[in-house]
Each structure stands twice: as structure tokens, then as C-alpha cells.
Amino acid sequence: MRFSVYKIIITERALKDIEKLDIKTKKRIGTKLKHYSKDPLRYATKLINNAIGTYRFRIGSYRVVFDIDEDKIVVLRVGHRKDIYK
């Protein structure tokens, strides 16, 4: 059985979100995304209101909102849990 690793695509909007974070948080999110890219749906939660995206990863107090397009994880937004859904 061969695992395919999903390719991570970060949108312009998500890149702006990431740039605002501190170094430690950026590293943590990057490490977790690499880990989750092996089996994203195992770690993801489907969003009820998919206006901002279809799925999310929970990484501490931060949320990574994304869609899956074939073999790609398209990161749409990254933010603190209190702000991300506004």
C-alpha cells in the first residue's frame, strides 16, 4: 500500500495571514501541514458553513481552512480561532 502525499498550495490570502504570525507559530503550522499532508481527511474537520472553505485543521489555537482538489491541499485562510470565521 502506497501513501500519496498531497501537495500543499498556499493562496495569496493565506500567505498574508501567515506573514502576520510569529516565527514559532509559523514553524508549528508548517510542521503540522507537512504531517497532515500524508492523510489530510484523517485530521480535518468538515466545516458546516463552507463560505470560507470546506475543511479545517486545528493546530493549537490556530485554524487552517482549506479545500482538497484531487491531490492538492489548497490552503485558503490561516488564523486564530477567535478571528478566522468572521
Side-chain angles (χ1 to χ4, degrees), residues 11-24:
T11 61
E12 287 285 325
R13 178 70 243 201
L15 203 56
K16 284 181 185 173
D17 292 340
I18 292 167
E19 285 171 356
K20 294 175 189 170
L21 304 175
D22 62 274
I23 289 286
K24 189 177 172 186

Side-chain angles (χ1 to χ4, degrees), residues 18-72:
I18 292 167
E19 285 171 356
K20 294 175 189 170
L21 304 175
D22 62 274
I23 289 286
K24 189 177 172 186
T25 306
K26 287 179 192 176
K27 284 183 181 174
R28 183 175 184 194
I29 289 172
T31 303
K32 285 291 185 184
L33 280 177
K34 282 181 195 151
H35 177 72
Y36 292 165
S37 69
K38 295 178 185 108
D39 188 7
L41 295 178
R42 178 177 173 197
Y43 303 101
T45 303
K46 195 163 174 61
L47 293 175
I48 295 165
N49 177 3
N50 59 3
I52 61 168
T54 313
Y55 301 97
R56 72 157 166 84
F57 289 134
R58 192 182 127 227
I59 303 172
S61 295
Y62 288 84
R63 303 296 181 261
V64 176
V65 177
F66 67 97
D67 287 335
I68 291 183
D69 181 20
E70 294 172 20
D71 64 341
K72 295 187 267 312

